[in-house]
Amino acid sequence: MKSRKKVRRFIVPLLFVSILVLLSGCSESIRVLDPKGPIGESQKDLILISSLLCAIILVPVLALTAFIVYRYRDKPGNKAAYKPNWSHSTLMETIWWGIPVVIITILAIVTVKGTYDLEPSKPLDSEKKPLVIQATSLDWKWLFKYPEQGIATVNYIEIPEDVPIRFELTSDAPMNSFWIPELGGQMYTMSGMAMKLHLQADEPGEYYGSGANFSGEHFADMKFTVRATSEAEFNKWVESVKQTSPALTEEGYQQLAKPGKADVQYFSSFPEGLFERIVTKYVVEGDEGHAGHRQMTTEESPSSEPEQPKSDMSHEHAGH
Amino acid sequence: MLDSIKDFASEFFVTGDPLILGAQVSIAIAMVAILFVLSYFKKWGWLWREWLTTVDHKKIGIMYIICSILMLFRGGVDALLMRLQLAMPEMQFLEAEHYNQIFTTHGVIMILFMAMPLMFGLFNIVVPLQIGARDVAYPFLNALSFWLFFWGAMLFNVSFVIGGSPDAGWLAYPPLSGLTHSPGVGQNFYIWGIQISGIGSLATGINFIVTILKMRAPGMTLMKMPMFTWSVFSSCIIIIFAFPILTVTLALLFLDRFLGTHFFTLDAGGNPMMYINLIWMWGHPEVYIVVLPAFGIFSEIAATFSKKKLFGYKSMVFAMISISVFSFFTWAHHFFTMGSGADVNAFFAVTTMAIAIPTGVKVFNWLFTMFRGRITFTTPMMWMIAFIPCFVIGGMTGVLLSVAPADFQFHNSYFLIAHFHQVLIGGVAFGYFAGLYYWWPKMFGFKLNEHLGKWAFWFWNIGFYVCFMPQYVLGLDGMTRRMYTYDFDMGWGPLNLVSTIGGFMMGIGFIFQVWQIAYSIKKNQKDVTGDPWNGRTLEWSIPSPAPLYNFATLPQVEAVDDWWEKKQKREQGIAPPPAPPLEPIHMPKNSGIPFIKSLLWFFVGFGFVWGWLWMAIPALIGVGICMLVRQFSYDTDYYIPVSEVQKAEAQARGAAL
């Protein structure tokens, strides 16, 4: 009986230790903790710094808990002090308020700095010109357009390594969230807005990407592969998509946008201004539109669009 | 004719799923059994007089607790179904749609129909006794609050056998929850179930604020209030500010769905972001609503079972009130990744992590309550001790989540799931279990079996870590919440399997608790002292279970732990002042109106769920009639004569001897 109690007393601390071991042991294979790009790298550093700051409080508190519970247990012959009416100590309470204040202040400074540094709409420092990829979440698949290359894909991204990628994100379905854990944190995709997310891959490889925000029945199937290659290979890939794949027509897009799962697909071209039309789909005449809308790219001139069902809206909007 | 009935029935009842068919059959059997037992033992009149029409806060509290335990069972079964589906990669156990319904109902039930009623049950049982009052400020409203909660919860719960469960997530973001993407009735059940019970919650918040401010025993100044009462007070402050937001938000969502307005649709100028802001302006304070009373419970338990005064009373009060204020400045941390920009994100990151300061202080104060005390390891105290490491770790991961740029990697992942389960199970569930064990003798007059309770405790606790620690890792490995299946090559299989095993361990813990309750009822080892734990506050100064009128004479309060101080004085041989003579006690009369009116609200909700105005409108008129009848009832109270009080007191004392 006695020994069983002793065993119990050590089970809880033991569990924590095993968790820590588990966490540290896995860090090499855990996607977020093994990033392959500068954004993911900075985020990992932040995670580690903040964990460390938290551990400064966590570890002593756990140790103190174990100590106090053991030391002051009600047991015949326990010689520890017993002061039933001792309930206030200004010095101690000042310390208890002081420690969290100091730690949280440091963490707040780190956080605020990190928030500005890692603001996802901020372009990355690089000598190379960023590659633009426009991502649209649909029910239940991802459509990626490369406006400069003129190609499009479904559920697949190929990028050159060491080149900053500017993702422009929107949705033509309930909102979702675009997340490639090994490259960096996620960003929501929402109708009527074009959000920006800058990421970069430092080394070639295949990375997992997914929709992170629940968007209905088959949202779990909204995953995609990101393949980072050398620039030469990337250009070769673009060429081969251009040569061998069908074009995405307006009707093709309407079909694609219907609810349903989809496999990986490649398109040698896509209707011009499609992304802009998706973003401005809900703009009402006379409305200024949503904040995100103003950040849109203007590389493609709306006036050159072919006549499309929704294009009158974007024409009008362009005229404002 | 027959065909149209068939068509209707196939739409009305959920068919085609063997799991749900099983549930339907067992519901039918259970209902027949209940009706049979009540009729056979001629208990209908008893049920009506003693329970359905009662305005006694103690009985209302017991009904809240029974409901919440049933809801814990249902929400727990949902959880285990989900864990089974995720135990292995590419499981074929649940369909995607069914999985979506289950996580939606799991979330709603656990927060709104399990945690909230368990909390209200403890409010009802403990607060009047702790402040030396004979009832809550508005007993009729209190009964109404309970029945609104009850029928709202029933409305939500029938959805899975009638019409289909909601499946747009527990906070139902539009446009997914709008008519275009959720055309079925499930989302209507969500709206009306929560709406009806939510109004009950708001009324409870008002009721307890007034009770605490106006009904305290003579001498009990605010700074002499027991800590649990303080926690209820701060929680109710949040309720009265947060729940109106929920009511309005759901009303607007219903208008969007029912009348085709465009508050939350992008076309015609609405904005889904508006909904997300509003729902989190309620939703984040909501987690503090449920956790603050748990803090209060732990404060009582830590002091009682360390046989020592609560350390840093003033700090505790200040921390609690500042948490309740700060809880309203953190909602945007739920969407750091929606592109609000660095200014907004930085602001909400800092306000969110600032809440860790008062919370941390509370943890230190609990530790120092135990420091230089004498700790006895009763079941309530064991839950209290287990809470500290669990909540501290959960709180730390919360601080990690509040680091906005890092949150970009945590958001919507299993890291987040592990975090909030850790604070909600480790904080709220552990706290309410502790409270339930602690005050059980006061409710029923007998203690729960400690031996079985310890088995339950260990299964819950170890199961908890086995279940949720792997989820932190899974989240960091890119596994997102709400996915119903995943591929073999993701490498998530083993950790998910471990997590599922942990989930089932907690399930076994729950079975031990049910066994414990059943066993203890059968054994019924009467607590004859009224003070089985050697308690410190007023509720332990009266017999268990408390008589109808609680206190024969209202106590005169002099100190924070008044009952403890009086016991100390008695031990030192100082005689208590002679009790004043008994007087007739003013009590509220029972009323059937709360039950009937809330049942009518159920029909209002059910009518609107199906778009049946022929049902909703007459039921609404019935609600109006109930209000009028109550308005013109004058015979609503009575006096318990001195002779009866004497008899009851003698009986209680007789039991004590």
Side-chain angles (χ1 to χ4, degrees):
Chain A
M1 188 66 200
K2 204 173 162 193
S3 65
R4 206 170 71 188
K5 269 193 177 166
K6 259 193 181 154
V7 169
R8 282 176 183 175
R9 213 165 284 132
F10 289 105
I11 279 177
V12 178
L14 209 73
L15 266 167
F16 300 130
V17 175
S18 57
I19 291 151
L20 289 178
V21 172
L22 195 75
L23 274 170
S24 59
C26 292
S27 63
E28 271 166 56
S29 58
I30 295 176
R31 290 179 175 81
V32 167
L33 299 183
D34 183 26
K36 308 291 185 199
I39 293 290
E41 198 66 50
S42 316
Q43 282 165 337
K44 184 188 90 176
D45 292 344
L46 259 176
I47 290 172
L48 295 181
I49 291 169
S50 46
S51 304
L52 202 70
L53 282 170
C54 287
I56 293 177
I57 294 191
L58 181 67
V59 174
V61 167
L62 293 183
L64 197 64
T65 308
F67 169 75
I68 288 178
V69 169
Y70 181 77
R71 181 93 175 84
Y72 297 99
R73 69 202 188 284
D74 192 12
K75 184 185 141 200
N78 188 347
K79 292 201 181 66
Y82 174 48
K83 296 189 172 175
N85 289 320
W86 181 72
S87 65
H88 179 76
S89 155
T90 310
L91 173 70
M92 281 193 169
E93 290 204 49
T94 315
I95 297 172
W96 300 148
W97 280 95
I99 295 174
V101 167
V102 170
I103 299 276
I104 294 292
T105 309
I106 298 171
L107 192 61
I109 293 166
V110 173
T111 301
V112 170
K113 192 175 170 302
T115 307
Y116 283 93
D117 287 349
L118 291 173
E119 167 57 30
S121 60
K122 211 173 92 176
L124 298 178
D125 272 338
S126 175
E127 289 157 13
K128 293 179 181 151
K129 187 175 162 288
L131 170 72
V132 178
I133 298 178
Q134 296 170 329
T136 309
S137 60
L138 299 170
D139 272 341
W140 289 282
K141 75 263 320 169
W142 288 93
L143 173 65
F144 301 107
K145 293 183 282 282
Y146 292 71
E148 284 154 51
Q149 286 70 21
I151 58 166
T153 61
V154 169
N155 290 348
Y156 179 84
I157 301 177
E158 181 140 337
I159 51 170
E161 58 170 321
D162 288 329
V163 173
I165 316 290
R166 185 170 85 191
F167 286 102
E168 293 172 6
L169 310 168
T170 193
S171 176
D172 202 2
M175 68 173 73
N176 211 305
S177 191
F178 175 85
W179 189 25
I180 309 166
E182 279 150 300
L183 299 187
Q186 66 196 282
M187 186 52 115
Y188 275 90
T189 61
M190 292 183 281
S191 306
M193 300 191 205
M195 315 270 250
K196 274 186 227 159
L197 175 66
H198 289 85
L199 296 174
Q200 180 178 317
D202 284 342
E203 51 187 273
E206 285 203 351
Y207 310 122
Y208 168 77
S210 70
N213 187 61
F214 180 63
S215 64
E217 189 173 354
H218 287 290
F219 123 92
D221 294 300
M222 292 183 69
K223 51 204 175 198
F224 51 90
T225 305
V226 183
R227 193 157 163 257
T229 58
S230 66
E231 276 188 77
E233 262 184 86
F234 172 74
N235 291 333
K236 230 163 63 189
W237 172 78
V238 171
E239 268 318 297
S240 78
V241 170
K242 272 193 171 276
Q243 303 288 329
T244 59
S245 306
L248 177 65
T249 59
E250 190 64 39
E251 297 88 286
Y253 173 73
Q254 299 302 341
Q255 281 301 319
L256 193 67
K258 283 185 182 156
K261 299 191 252 184
D263 292 327
V264 173
Q265 296 170 42
Y266 307 98
F267 300 104
S268 56
S269 69
F270 56 87
E272 270 196 88
L274 179 61
F275 186 78
E276 287 71 11
R277 281 203 304 286
I278 294 169
V279 174
T280 54
K281 194 170 160 182
Y282 299 103
V283 174
V284 182
E285 198 182 340
D287 192 341
E288 280 299 306
H290 298 285
H293 174 227
R294 286 195 292 274
Q295 304 169 356
M296 270 182 47
T297 49
T298 48
E299 266 120 350
E300 284 164 295
S301 154
S303 57
S304 64
E305 285 168 24
E307 210 52 44
Q308 298 294 348
K310 294 275 182 189
S311 63
D312 52 333
M313 283 198 166
S314 52
H315 275 292
E316 274 169 20
H317 189 75
H320 280 300
Chain B
M1 180 63 188
L2 195 67
D3 279 345
S4 63
I5 291 174
K6 261 189 190 165
D7 276 355
F8 170 75
S10 71
E11 193 202 348
F12 191 72
F13 293 107
V14 177
T15 49
D17 189 310
L19 284 171
I20 291 179
L21 184 69
Q24 281 163 330
V25 171
S26 41
I27 288 171
I29 292 173
M31 278 174 72
V32 170
I34 291 169
L35 295 181
F36 175 77
V37 168
L38 283 173
S39 307
Y40 185 81
F41 291 103
K42 299 199 175 64
K43 287 290 186 189
W44 287 103
W46 164 82
L47 185 68
W48 177 258
R49 279 190 310 274
E50 294 288 315
W51 294 95
L52 303 189
T53 61
T54 187
V55 290
D56 179 5
H57 67 95
K58 300 177 284 293
K59 282 187 175 165
I60 290 172
I62 288 170
M63 290 193 289
Y64 266 123
I65 286 169
I66 292 171
C67 290
S68 72
I69 291 174
L70 290 175
M71 288 292 102
L72 176 61
F73 173 73
R74 162 141 198 222
V77 170
D78 281 348
L80 294 184
L81 291 176
M82 284 190 281
R83 278 320 317 168
L84 269 181
Q85 167 67 17
L86 292 173
M88 309 256 207
E90 292 173 22
M91 261 309 240
Q92 304 283 332
F93 177 57
L94 296 173
E95 302 274 313
E97 198 190 357
H98 195 182
Y99 185 85
N100 298 344
Q101 294 180 341
I102 287 179
F103 72 66
T104 302
T105 50
H106 168 75
V108 172
I109 285 177
M110 285 305 201
I111 296 281
L112 289 161
F113 301 132
M114 190 285 279
M116 291 291 277
L118 192 46
M119 171 178 99
F120 287 150
L122 293 170
F123 280 18
N124 264 293
I125 285 158
V126 180
V127 170
L129 298 181
Q130 243 186 5
I131 62 174
R134 286 187 172 134
D135 209 329
V136 294
Y138 308 115
F140 176 87
L141 183 68
N142 198 23
L144 185 61
S145 300
F146 170 74
W147 289 110
L148 283 172
F149 148 72
F150 177 82
W151 287 112
M154 286 302 114
L155 185 61
F156 184 84
N157 271 280
V158 295
S159 68
F160 91 110
V161 285
I162 294 177
S165 296
D167 62 355
W170 84 280
L171 285 182
Y173 283 6
L176 191 59
S177 59
L179 203 53
T180 326
H181 295 282
S182 299
V185 291
Q187 206 53 47
N188 297 341
F189 274 117
Y190 172 94
I191 291 171
W192 281 98
I194 296 180
Q195 191 70 291
I196 291 170
S197 68
I199 291 168
S201 305
L202 178 58
T204 304
I206 295 167
N207 210 340
F208 277 86
I209 286 189
V210 180
T211 304
I212 292 169
L213 287 180
K214 303 297 285 184
M215 311 258 301
R216 295 188 313 273
M220 184 182 277
T221 57
L222 281 177
M223 290 315 273
K224 280 182 189 150
M225 253 170 20
M227 197 46 66
F228 178 70
T229 302
W230 261 114
S231 72
V232 173
F233 185 65
S234 23
S235 169
C236 287
I237 290 175
I238 313 182
I239 289 179
I240 63 165
F241 284 103
F243 267 78
I245 310 178
L246 176 70
T247 305
V248 170
T249 312
L250 291 175
L252 296 182
L253 184 63
F254 179 70
L255 290 178
D256 269 13
R257 290 178 60 88
F258 192 70
L259 292 181
T261 54
H262 292 278
F263 291 106
F264 304 131
T265 55
L266 268 179
D267 35 342
N271 194 342
M273 272 307 293
M274 168 96 129
Y275 181 92
I276 296 168
N277 272 295
L278 286 172
I279 199 81
W280 280 117
M281 279 181 206
W282 161 76
H284 199 82
E286 166 68 16
V287 302
Y288 294 102
I289 291 173
V290 290
V291 85
L292 282 174
F295 291 171
I297 292 169
F298 289 130
S299 304
E300 300 290 344
I301 288 175
T304 301
F305 296 106
S306 307
K307 295 192 202 65
K308 189 163 161 282
K309 256 190 185 162
L310 182 71
F311 187 86
Y313 180 93
K314 283 180 191 161
S315 271
M316 289 297 233
V317 171
F318 180 72
M320 213 117 63
I321 297 291
S322 57
I323 290 172
S324 69
V325 174
F326 256 82
S327 68
F328 284 94
F329 296 97
T330 60
W331 81 89
H333 71 222
H334 293 272
F335 36 94
F336 278 148
T337 67
M338 275 188 193
S340 336
D343 296 340
V344 172
N345 281 1
F347 174 80
F348 281 97
V350 174
T351 51
T352 301
M353 50 184 71
I355 287 208
I357 298 170
T359 315
V361 169
K362 297 180 81 67
V363 172
F364 284 126
N365 281 347
W366 288 316
L367 284 178
F368 274 76
T369 303
M370 296 192 270
F371 180 70
R372 292 181 185 166
R374 278 291 174 269
I375 303 167
T376 40
F377 295 92
T378 55
T379 38
M381 190 59 181
M382 285 172 76
W383 287 97
M384 150 78 203
I385 294 169
F387 148 85
I388 290 182
C390 194
F391 194 79
V392 170
I393 297 174
M396 289 303 167
T397 55
V399 172
L400 296 187
L401 282 161
S402 73
V403 178
D407 179 64
F408 284 72
Q409 288 280 33
F410 300 135
H411 191 64
N412 276 332
S413 78
Y414 263 80
F415 191 91
L416 169 84
I417 304 296
H419 157 71
F420 75 69
H421 281 94
Q422 187 151 24
V423 286
L424 283 175
I425 294 179
V428 177
F430 284 15
Y432 293 175
F433 289 162
L436 203 56
Y437 286 117
Y438 183 57
W439 282 301
W440 188 276
K442 193 45 65 185
M443 290 180 227
F444 298 104
F446 64 90
K447 256 165 110 170
L448 285 173
N449 182 283
E450 289 274 301
H451 183 69
L452 286 169
K454 281 177 185 166
W455 277 97
F457 170 85
W458 286 108
F459 266 104
W460 265 100
N461 268 273
I462 297 172
F464 174 82
Y465 289 99
V466 175
C467 184
F468 290 104
M469 293 302 123
Q471 293 188 9
Y472 281 116
V473 184
L474 285 168
L476 291 174
D477 204 19
M479 182 164 165
T480 53
R481 68 194 299 194
R482 292 167 176 176
M483 49 193 338
Y484 80 103
T485 189
Y486 51 91
D487 291 337
F488 273 100
D489 54 8
M490 293 311 299
W492 296 333
L495 284 173
N496 269 302
L497 183 63
V498 171
S499 178
T500 300
I501 292 169
F504 275 87
M505 289 176 76
M506 287 193 275
I508 294 171
F510 178 75
I511 291 172
F512 267 107
Q513 287 177 307
V514 174
W515 180 12
Q516 178 190 13
I517 291 173
Y519 180 87
S520 311
I521 289 173
K522 205 171 143 225
K523 281 271 164 184
N524 197 357
Q525 288 177 321
K526 275 224 173 314
D527 159 44
V528 290
T529 59
D531 186 13
W533 308 115
N534 194 6
R536 311 178 69 83
T537 39
L538 289 179
E539 72 268 33
W540 304 109
S541 66
I542 54 172
S544 304
L548 180 63
Y549 46 81
N550 298 350
F551 296 88
T553 51
L554 289 184
Q556 180 71 40
V557 176
E558 281 150 16
V560 174
D561 291 329
D562 196 62
W563 174 237
W564 175 264
E565 301 292 338
K566 283 189 178 135
K567 282 193 286 190
Q568 295 297 100
K569 273 188 193 159
R570 203 177 306 160
E571 264 176 39
Q572 291 158 16
I574 304 171
L582 293 176
E583 280 170 27
I585 294 173
H586 185 212
M587 295 299 284
K589 267 191 180 163
N590 285 358
S591 167
I593 293 175
F595 181 82
I596 294 167
K597 188 170 156 191
S598 310
L599 178 61
L600 285 166
W601 269 112
F602 175 87
F603 287 113
V604 173
F606 199 78
F608 276 121
V609 164
W610 291 90
W612 296 344
L613 292 182
W614 57 263
M615 183 191 266
I617 290 173
L620 260 179
I621 294 170
V623 170
I625 292 172
C626 284
M627 293 169 95
L628 276 178
V629 169
R630 176 66 187 175
Q631 196 63 38
F632 291 102
S633 331
Y634 300 107
D635 181 25
T636 56
D637 52 355
Y638 70 107
Y639 280 87
I640 304 178
V642 173
S643 60
E644 252 179 66
V645 176
Q646 273 169 337
K647 218 162 75 187
E649 286 295 298
Q651 218 168 27
R653 265 200 303 276
L657 290 171

